[in-house]
């Protein structure tokens, strides 16, 4: 069984391979009457698009989205929205090496073990190109949650973290790393360039925050908001860890340190919290505080250093992965993490409305 | 919408509140012909049972499971297996304080925000007693995956980690902390007792490993084995983080350091890996290496120190949480993490069989 | 894979065998704050209960329901509602014959073919006793749709149909056949008694109508309201056909005859239809007219006449089904059909609210 | 909530409107390694294609399918198969009348009531053009069940049924009505032509049979094979009734008449049945006999006779539906019914394999 659909009420299914003619998403369950055209989606795809700086893969893809259904006279109709992105730059090259030997860290061996064979061109279905479809679907999801503002950024590359004292929201879009700390961005430019030139790669941590989520979204006990976010993030290519709020740091705190005290709102409206160790979720349900999470991306598995591996006959060999690759795949993960946040929240807004009106 | 069902083919639904008459699980999709009676399940419930040492809550629950359906003449029939555990020790006490004021860190406020009111007795549905139902279901799941061996243990309490050099598999069951390092267990005994006596609490990290999973379980791209494990673990009470393999540490490695080289099997059978940074999963599919993960438990939110909060009318107040509580809820999380591992793996074994025969 | 859960947002799972200790349903996704106790459910179970006249099976079951979770202080909490009904009258008898030979028309052979063995006592999971759980869940569903009024009745037994000219809503509850035509009820009393005494059985047609469903429930294209109703009804034991509106008769009409013309409401409110061939559903979505459907029940397969069959070793034999049986199982299908109607409508009300607010 | 996905393990999602740029299906969960290219699918689309005789709509659509993903080197890879069919003949016309007034029998009013507005061009999402996507998906499903042979035909038009004595399997493909009785086909030619010329329409009954389904597919109790077939068929445009086996006729039989006796296989293999009133399904599980069902199609709602209706402001008006329409939509339902049969059976084959190996 293969499961290429995500979500419960607001759902999307993606399809497509790295080197096939196109890839796409079908968004189902979207409320009717929302203003939507290609121009609503394209900026999000542009943010994820490869080849925008020397710090990302040089594959040139316009990633132009087409809406094939579900929109009439500029508004969603409530029927499925089919989004298609054509693959343009499937550079003609020789795949005989990757067809034959398993690249460690990639899904090559696992796919062969599961399916008996695989589309080896550019990683096939396991390529990070699939995330373009998520980003497109995420742009639709954002229309469902206009009350929510989502911010994602890189907080750490290769173990070098931002300084919270330098945090500047405006800085995020100013550098090619989605980095809110200009100093860190300068350091990372050197680190990532060095990795790029040497054919190496670096891991990264992406942080994401959603403001404006009201208290009450989420659901006991197997559709907890944090559980669904964990699945959403862990399913992104190269992700190996996910934390909500203080995450693993919370495991090192005492109960007193970890408490999020409450006090009445100054104006009698929504209550206030004087801390947010919980990351805005308690018992799987939003508390009205910002939802905060952090996602760990491993270093890109494609490196120029030869690594021991086996070929499809099981014989020993070595492989070095040539071709166009991101020296730090976490950078381009930023718009994907933000998209998955939007997709989970849109779904849970509708789920909540279904049960509680 | 409330979602109390987990899984895709091998599924279970749980029900019950902390202080209701009973709680239970309905396991659906279980293969027929497996040997099952109450004695198969009880040892796993006993491992999770409260009140077994002074380091866990003193609530006395026999947690005796009854099988109400789905088994005939000692074997599963393929129809739903209804498991019920009666609540016995719902100590008569005064709930007026917790009924009125929101306990920070608990789901009290979030439930009220969502549902308009809540069963405040012992946390109602958000109580960790729900995990007894998971453990019972997990015992059934283990029958589906006899080829897999699951080991879970506490690797860290209050920031004090085990020393890998001291790792002793046999030690895990010998101390009340599920700790594989006898020295660490001795230190923890002091730390946890101190927290218990002062009405404080500590966080913990639980590690889990599954040996024997063949290559090929899992599925692209929204039922990745790691994504399903992340949802399974993040949905456990008090969990705030989940890592697969090296997790966040992988974000600090270079591509060369993070590679898991392969070599042919000595005997020509399953290929071997000379490292396992990936935790046994690539592209969402098992590689045949051990599945490894780590789960962060926050400190128990119930503490004796008064914390600022509000009451259900929104007025400022303070609350200290009396009653019987785990000073370190992560300890009793060990059998729950192991159960969720079994449940995810059983489901994915059947999912794989469905598609790939 | 076994699927014992029905519904999308308002869902229920059932469990239990004919001769196990109990059976039950877990209702999930129910809105919070609805008044519910055992007394709300019991009358519907009483209506389905066996042994109430000589025209139904003489098994004596009180079918007393217990609510084990999901209700606090008399109101639904939004968490799963566990309903349990103990089996009382599992008459001690000799099952060796039915254990060994397959009863034609029953699921005996199919269960063995699927699962390799079966709980043969009283049909096990395939027994119509499972429908008690549906009726209990249906009573909860009715609370979700107070605007809807559901009427079900037998319209035909053994090919002898009611006369629409005699239709009297009040008559339905006055006779043991749920028959709205007193003359037909008198005729059926003779027919069914004759079948009972001779150990034979009769089929029946059950009609059901739901008034008060607003226009707009249902959804394109694989959760059409009529498609979900068809699945709901066809899944009831002994059902072999389902019609919406004019059903098969519509296939014999011309487009002009089958049209349901519309006209403005006299008072400017909801538009009116001057016919309802469509049974209140167009394009899978309710039109605001009454939802009407008809369900065909085959004659009870348990008969005293010996029928050729095989035993579990494949050898030829004959079997006559002794024991307590309904001479016309369609009669007791009436509350079940009504329950499934309520369950589908409750689900679609919430589904509609999820997407369209 | 909108649900445009069908199936449990072998699933497909469809998208597209009558007059949008394209429509399509995404097939997920398909086993790997099956031979598939456009040529495998096209013949089934050609069978459904409009404009092939004067008895169907004159819209000219090549319905050429493109495979956009999930196939590599001519074989399915196990990843989602995206199928796209471009709309070509969206005849430029004036939709102002249908945009303003509700066509009785169509989904116009219901869509507006649900979504607030609708794509009125050619019925939008409620158009029978959506069934092209089902037929394409069904062609893939057939690859999963090579052991099964599916036959569908029209058994009745406008109340004029075939004579079983004339049944000739070879005749089905020889006439434009998929009619196995040459005499009936001749009569229908006159009837349908008369309806076409007068701008009227006729209903039809489609029968479908699946040979080769082994005993054991299907599942208790809410994924019964017959329940899933009922949902599949009732969800086809214009369908108002579905019968399994003898269907409503079974409600008129006695238990003795309705029995399907068994006897040992002559050669000791699969047991034989000497009747098939049940239509090959008992307890929701296949028995090894042919699966038989019948589906009622209402007459096309688009007729030239003016019918009373209201406009979108609620004012009284009349409408006659001009344009290109099928005088008997049931005829083109034949390949759609066969496709849905294949889709349900493929899903249940994999479901069975998941649970029972």
């Amino acid at each position: 069984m293969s499961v290429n659909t995500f979500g419960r009420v607001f759902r999307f299914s993606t399809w497509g391979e790295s080197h096939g003619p196109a890839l796409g998403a079908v968004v189902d369950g979207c409320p009717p009457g929302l203003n939507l055209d290609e121009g609503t989606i394209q900026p999000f795809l542009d943010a994820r698009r490869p080849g925008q700086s020397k710090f990302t893969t040089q594959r040139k893809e316009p990633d132009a989205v087409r809406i094939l259904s579900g929109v009439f006279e500029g508004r969603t109709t409530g029927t499925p929205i089919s989004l298609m992105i054509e693959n343009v730059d499937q550079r003609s090259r020789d795949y005989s090496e990757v067809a034959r030997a398993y690249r460690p860290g990639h899904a090559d061996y696992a796919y062969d073990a599961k399916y008996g064979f695989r589309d080896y061109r550019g990683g096939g279905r396991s390529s990070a190109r699939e995330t373009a479809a998520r980003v497109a679907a995420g742009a639709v999801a954002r229309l469902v949650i206009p009350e929510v503002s989502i911010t994602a950024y890189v907080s750490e590359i290769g173990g070098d973290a931002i300084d919270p004292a330098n945090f500047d929201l405006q800085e995020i879009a100013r550098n090619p790393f989605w980095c809110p700390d200009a100093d860190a961005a300068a350091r990372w430019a050197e680190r990532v360039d060095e990795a790029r030139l040497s054919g190496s790669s670096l891991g990264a941590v992406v942080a994401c925050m959603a403001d404006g989520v009201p208290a009450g979204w989420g659901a006991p006990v197997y559709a907890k908001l944090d559980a669904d976010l964990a699945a959403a993030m862990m399913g992104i290519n190269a992700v190996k860890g996910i934390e909500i709020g203080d995450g693993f740091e919370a495991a090192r705190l005492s109960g007193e340190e970890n408490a999020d005290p409450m006090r009445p709102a100054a104006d009698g409206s929504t209550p206030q919290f004087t801390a947010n160790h919980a990351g805005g979720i308690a018992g799987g349900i939003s508390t009205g505080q910002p939802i905060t999470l952090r996602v760990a991306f491993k270093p890109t598995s494609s490196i120029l250093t030869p690594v021991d591996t086996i070929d499809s006959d099981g014989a020993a060999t070595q492989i070095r992965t040539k071709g166009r690759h991101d020296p730090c795949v976490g950078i381009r993960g930023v718009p994907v993490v933000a998209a998955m946040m939007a997709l989970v929240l849109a779904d849970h807004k509708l789920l909540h409305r279904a049960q509680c009106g």
Side-chain angles (χ1 to χ4, degrees), chain A:
Chain A
M1 180 170 173
S2 156
V3 179
N4 291 276
T5 299
F6 187 89
R8 300 168 192 276
V9 167
F10 184 95
R11 278 153 297 128
F12 69 103
S13 305
T14 69
W15 55 270
E17 277 82 36
S18 175
H19 283 58
L23 56 88
V26 181
V27 178
D28 201 4
C30 184
L34 305 175
N35 294 317
L36 176 66
D37 61 17
E38 279 88 353
T40 317
I41 300 172
Q42 198 60 49
F44 295 96
L45 283 169
D46 290 346
R48 182 204 155 279
R49 195 147 52 85
Q52 296 183 292
S53 78
K54 65 180 174 182
F55 305 112
T56 59
T57 171
Q58 296 306 300
R59 180 167 170 168
K60 297 290 183 196
E61 287 288 351
D63 279 353
V65 68
R66 277 188 71 198
I67 300 175
L68 296 177
S69 69
V71 174
F72 182 58
E73 298 180 342
R75 287 188 300 157
T76 59
T77 58
T79 62
I81 302 165
S82 178
L83 306 171
M84 186 169 71
I85 297 163
E86 288 184 64
N87 286 325
V88 171
D89 184 16
Q90 307 117 291
R91 186 183 291 190
S92 164
R93 48 165 288 204
D94 178 9
Y95 285 105
S96 55
E97 191 179 1
V98 67
R100 191 156 158 69
Y102 298 124
R103 295 169 301 163
H106 282 282
D108 301 350
Y109 173 70
Y111 266 65
D112 257 19
K114 184 172 193 70
Y115 295 121
F117 81 119
R118 71 187 194 282
D119 180 350
Y120 46 73
R121 300 166 305 163
R125 181 67 182 153
S126 72
S127 164
R129 265 201 76 62
E130 188 270 342
T131 61
R134 304 182 188 220
V135 168
V140 180
R142 285 168 191 261
L143 303 178
V144 179
I145 48 167
E147 64 272 56
V148 176
S149 161
I150 296 171
T151 307
Y153 55 90
V154 177
S155 69
E156 190 178 321
I157 287 186
D160 180 12
I162 59 168
D163 178 349
N166 290 348
F167 191 96
D168 174 3
L169 205 62
Q170 304 307 318
E171 178 61 27
I172 295 173
R174 280 196 211 115
N175 60 69
F177 302 104
W178 309 104
C179 177
D181 170 353
D183 291 354
R187 298 193 305 270
W188 296 351
E190 284 188 44
R191 283 289 298 279
V192 177
D193 205 37
E194 191 181 340
R196 179 181 70 85
L197 292 170
S198 65
S200 181
S201 64
L202 296 167
V205 175
V206 172
C208 186
M209 184 166 49
D211 279 292
V213 176
W217 294 3
V221 294
Y222 299 112
K224 284 181 174 168
L225 187 52
D226 35 3
D228 279 7
L229 285 168
M233 300 304 164
M234 194 66 91
I236 299 172
N237 305 48
V239 170
K240 301 304 286 184
I242 157 85
E243 298 180 313
I244 304 289
D246 283 4
F248 278 84
E249 203 47 48
R252 284 135 205 162
L253 300 179
S254 70
E256 294 75 20
E257 293 163 332
N258 191 55
D260 293 329
M262 299 180 74
R263 64 179 181 207
D267 60 353
S269 66
T270 316
Q272 293 183 332
F273 291 81
T274 56
N276 188 14
H277 299 282
I281 303 174
I285 298 171
S286 61
T287 62
Q289 292 187 279
I291 310 287
T292 62
L293 56 83
R294 286 164 21 100
V295 181
F297 285 81
K298 69 176 181 182
T300 315
S301 298
S302 300
I303 49 175
L304 280 180
T305 304
V307 184
D308 287 345
T309 189
I310 59 170
D311 63 22
S312 49
D313 297 327
T317 182
Q318 281 201 327
I319 196 162
R320 43 200 300 269
T321 312
K322 289 157 289 189
R324 303 159 298 175
H325 300 292
D326 286 279
C328 174
V329 74
I331 299 169
R332 287 179 54 225
V334 168
V336 184
V337 165
M340 295 307 292
M341 174 72 94
L343 287 157
V344 170
L345 292 176
D347 192 25
H348 273 281
K349 177 180 180 176
L350 303 190
L351 284 167
H352 177 62
R353 188 158 80 182
Q355 187 181 19
C356 298

